[in-house]
């Protein structure tokens, strides 16, 4: 009887471990307090690019020292674009110090949650939405007066409170591709972006 019970418990443990190991990493998007960055186009009096800061807690689903986070990809599925397109221009940051530094090598992922920041690169398409020009005009004027090419503005949540339709139009339906190396194998994870 005891042997059967031990075998049953062992089968349950192995089954649970094999089910959880199918998903090697755990990704959780959290609130972002980092500033949105506006970039003015060259020789144009318009904002050409918006960089949205997305923040994630990333960890492994079980104790393993071999899991490493590599490069990321970003899928634009914006209402402001003609079609969904993958883009490699999103940049991954590891906020271990006060100053964000881009990640240039594989990052170890552990059972303990690590915070990572992803800055997207969304191009602004004015011919699809005339209201964008009006919305960004005050920022553009400020940049011209102060001779700036880039401007750090409020957080996603603050901008969403002012203009929820704008933030949703850029981020809703987008996805991130995390490339994770596990035991010398590349395992891709796609994560839908949440507007928060």
């Amino acid at each position: 009887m005891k042997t059967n019970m031990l075998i049953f418990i062992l089968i349950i443990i192995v089954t649970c471990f094999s089910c959880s190991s199918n998903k090697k990493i755990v990704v959780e998007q959290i609130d972002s307090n980092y500033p949105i960055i506006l970039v003015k186009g060259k020789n144009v009096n318009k904002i050409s690019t918006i960089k949205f800061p997305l923040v994630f807690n990333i960890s492994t689903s079980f104790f393993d020292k071999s899991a490493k986070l590599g490069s990321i990809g970003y899928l634009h599925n914006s209402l402001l674009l003609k079609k969904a397109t993958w883009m490699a221009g999103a940049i991954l940051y590891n906020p271990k110090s006060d100053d964000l530094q881009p990640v240039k090598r594989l990052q170890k992922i552990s059972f303990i949650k690590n915070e990572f920041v992803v800055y997207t690169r969304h191009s602004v398409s004015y011919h699809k939405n005339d209201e964008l020009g009006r919305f960004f005009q005050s920022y553009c004027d400020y940049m011209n007066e102060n001779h700036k090419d880039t401007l750090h503005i409020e957080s996603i949540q603050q901008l969403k409170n002012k203009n929820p339709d704008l933030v949703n139009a850029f981020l809703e339906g987008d996805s991130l591709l995390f490339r994770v190396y596990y035991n010398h194998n590349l395992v891709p994870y796609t994560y839908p972006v949440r507007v928060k």
Side-chain angles (χ1 to χ4, degrees), residues 72-90:
I72 57 171
Y74 194 87
L75 175 66
H76 286 284
N77 200 19
S78 169
L79 296 173
L80 303 176
L81 297 173
K82 291 180 183 175
K83 61 179 181 175
T85 54
W86 279 100
M87 178 203 74

Side-chain angles (χ1 to χ4, degrees), residues 180-193:
V180 177
Y181 292 88
Y182 174 75
N183 285 338
H184 306 292
N185 293 315
L186 175 61
V187 183
Y189 290 90
T190 304
Y191 186 88
V193 170

Side-chain angles (χ1 to χ4, degrees), residues 17-189:
F17 179 77
S18 63
C19 289
S20 67
S21 65
N22 287 335
K23 188 174 181 185
K24 307 271 190 278
I25 64 166
V26 178
V27 178
E28 173 193 11
Q29 186 176 348
I30 60 175
D31 290 339
S32 170
N33 294 316
Y34 293 93
I36 296 167
I37 300 173
L38 303 180
V39 181
K40 199 169 72 146
K42 291 182 180 178
N43 306 318
V44 191
N45 191 29
K46 290 182 177 179
I47 302 301
S48 63
T49 306
I50 305 175
K51 299 180 179 182
F52 289 102
L54 306 174
V55 184
F56 299 90
N57 278 331
I58 302 176
S59 60
T60 56
S61 57
F62 55 93
F63 185 76
D64 191 321
K65 293 183 179 179
S66 68
K68 293 178 182 171
L69 180 61
S71 61
I72 57 171
Y74 194 87
L75 175 66
H76 286 284
N77 200 19
S78 169
L79 296 173
L80 303 176
L81 297 173
K82 291 180 183 175
K83 61 179 181 175
T85 54
W86 279 100
M87 178 203 74
I91 300 175
L92 182 69
Y93 296 87
N94 193 342
K96 289 194 173 178
S97 63
D98 292 338
D99 188 28
L100 287 180
Q101 294 295 324
V103 171
K104 295 185 179 176
R105 59 179 71 104
L106 295 176
Q107 295 291 300
K108 287 184 180 176
I109 308 169
S110 67
F111 196 65
I112 300 168
K113 293 178 182 177
N114 282 305
E115 185 176 296
F116 291 93
V117 180
V118 175
Y119 262 99
T120 72
R121 289 181 50 119
H122 284 78
S123 297
V124 180
S125 179
Y126 291 97
H127 67 278
K128 289 202 158 229
N129 191 334
D130 293 335
E131 288 187 27
L132 286 176
R134 288 191 289 276
F135 179 81
F136 288 121
Q137 192 58 53
S138 61
Y139 295 112
C140 236
D141 292 343
Y142 177 86
M143 292 168 83
N144 288 333
E145 290 168 12
N146 293 279
H147 308 290
K148 291 179 174 284
D149 293 331
T150 61
L151 180 65
H152 291 65
I153 63 169
E154 57 261 82
S155 69
I156 292 175
Q157 190 59 51
Q158 291 167 325
L159 183 59
K160 187 179 173 186
N161 289 339
K162 283 169 53 177
N163 196 326
D165 292 338
L166 177 77
V167 176
N168 287 335
F170 276 107
L171 295 178
E172 203 166 61
D174 289 3
S175 298
L176 266 166
L177 175 70
F178 294 97
R179 297 177 181 97
V180 177
Y181 292 88
Y182 174 75
N183 285 338
H184 306 292
N185 293 315
L186 175 61
V187 183
Y189 290 90

